[in-house]
Amino acid sequence: MSPFFLPRRLIGVLLLSLGLAVAGPTANLGMAFSQDAGDAALVDLDDVDSVIADAPPPAQTSDAPGGIDLLSLIWRGGWFMIPIGLMSLLVVALAIERFLALRRRKLLPAALIEHLRGLATPIDRFSPTAALRVCGENPSAAGRVVRAMLMRTGRPLAEVETAASDALQREVDRYSSPIRWLTLAAAATPLMGLLGTVWGMIVAFHESTTLTADRSRSEQLSEGIYTALVTTLAGLIVAIPAAMLALYLENRLVKMFHRVEEIAFAIAPGLERFAGKQRLEPDGSLVPLEASPLPPPPVPASGGSNHGPAGGKAAASMAGRSV
């Protein structure tokens, strides 16, 4: 028997015992941990679901294109956007100015209408002097039309109404001329945008013929067409409001001046009783009409000639004076 047999065997037994001693508690600890984990899973299951529900969804990658930047579109429109921008400023300025000019108190002051109605009731006692003073106190389109009619006092009624119609037409032309610029903007701005689009298409197709191998022709054309259509969009954005504003202001102007015409022709019969009798001076005074003076006798062509009827009369006059 080897002297090392017993110690080596003893060492093996000791190692086996030590392994069993360590493995037993470890297995028990593993079983206890598993049991505790299962209990924890059963207890905290609702909490886990609520946490999962409140968690933000994971970010998803999308290949959709981004939004369109307005300033970038305007910049890519090129120099064709400059006249369209100027036209838009003109439309805004004209619209504000016409809205202020076509207010009712500018065309038909309430004080003027009330005074004229009072003077025309009854119509046979209408006073042109008082009406002229009221028109001077209320300067407006209606006041100028009535004043032009009053200055024909003493004339036939048809001439008085003609004077009122002429003054009314002058006022309509005066107030409608700025509106024509809005109509021009509504018609010209889409053409400016179309011109920019046509030019952009020409440039896009021209560049597509000189592409390098690393670029696609369809990609180049789509980018060029996208840029070219910007000017058409800008032109329509300016033209549509301009057309609507022009139509609204024209209708408002016609409605206002129809009212002015009604007022003028309502008081026109009050001037009929002055026809051929009195006329109105610019200072408001009524003066009687005078007969027109007879034209002076014709002067003979040659002063030294006494031939003919004129010469005979002149000679007879001179003879009478000498006698």
Side-chain angles (χ1 to χ4, degrees), residues 129-319:
T129 302
L132 186 64
R133 184 180 66 254
V134 171
C135 292
E137 294 173 355
N138 298 275
S140 58
R144 288 187 290 269
V145 172
V146 174
R147 179 184 176 86
M149 183 181 63
L150 293 175
M151 296 311 296
R152 293 295 186 273
T153 302
R155 302 290 183 177
L157 182 59
E159 186 174 344
V160 172
E161 293 178 349
T162 301
S165 299
D166 294 341
L168 186 69
Q169 186 61 44
R170 287 193 299 269
E171 293 295 327
V172 170
D173 292 340
R174 174 186 174 187
Y175 279 90
S176 64
S177 55
I179 301 178
R180 297 190 185 101
W181 287 99
L182 284 175
T183 306
L184 175 64
T189 312
L191 297 179
M192 294 179 183
L194 182 60
L195 179 62
T197 298
V198 171
W199 175 254
M201 298 281 286
I202 292 173
V203 172
F205 279 99
H206 174 71
E207 292 179 354
S208 66
T209 59
T210 58
L211 289 178
T212 58
D214 57 343
R215 294 207 63 182
S216 171
R217 177 170 295 182
S218 61
E219 179 183 354
Q220 174 66 24
L221 284 177
S222 62
E223 182 178 355
I225 295 172
Y226 154 73
T227 304
L229 291 175
V230 173
T231 56
T232 297
L233 174 64
L236 292 176
I237 290 175
V238 176
I240 293 174
M244 297 174 66
L245 287 172
L247 183 59
Y248 171 78
L249 292 173
E250 285 179 358
N251 291 335
R252 182 177 179 84
L253 180 68
V254 170
K255 181 180 178 181
M256 288 290 185
F257 278 97
H258 277 172
R259 182 61 178 157
V260 174
E261 185 179 13
E262 290 176 0
I263 295 171
F265 282 91
I267 65 176
L271 302 176
E272 189 174 6
R273 61 191 177 94
F274 299 97
K277 300 176 182 179
Q278 291 177 311
R279 59 185 176 87
L280 187 66
E281 292 290 332
D283 59 355
S285 60
L286 285 170
V287 297
L289 286 174
E290 298 177 355
S292 300
L294 296 176
V299 179
S302 57
S305 174
N306 293 330
H307 300 287
K313 291 180 181 179
S317 177
M318 293 296 292

Side-chain angles (χ1 to χ4, degrees), residues 59-72:
Q60 298 180 358
T61 58
S62 177
D63 297 334
I68 298 177
D69 187 7
L70 181 61
L71 294 178
S72 300

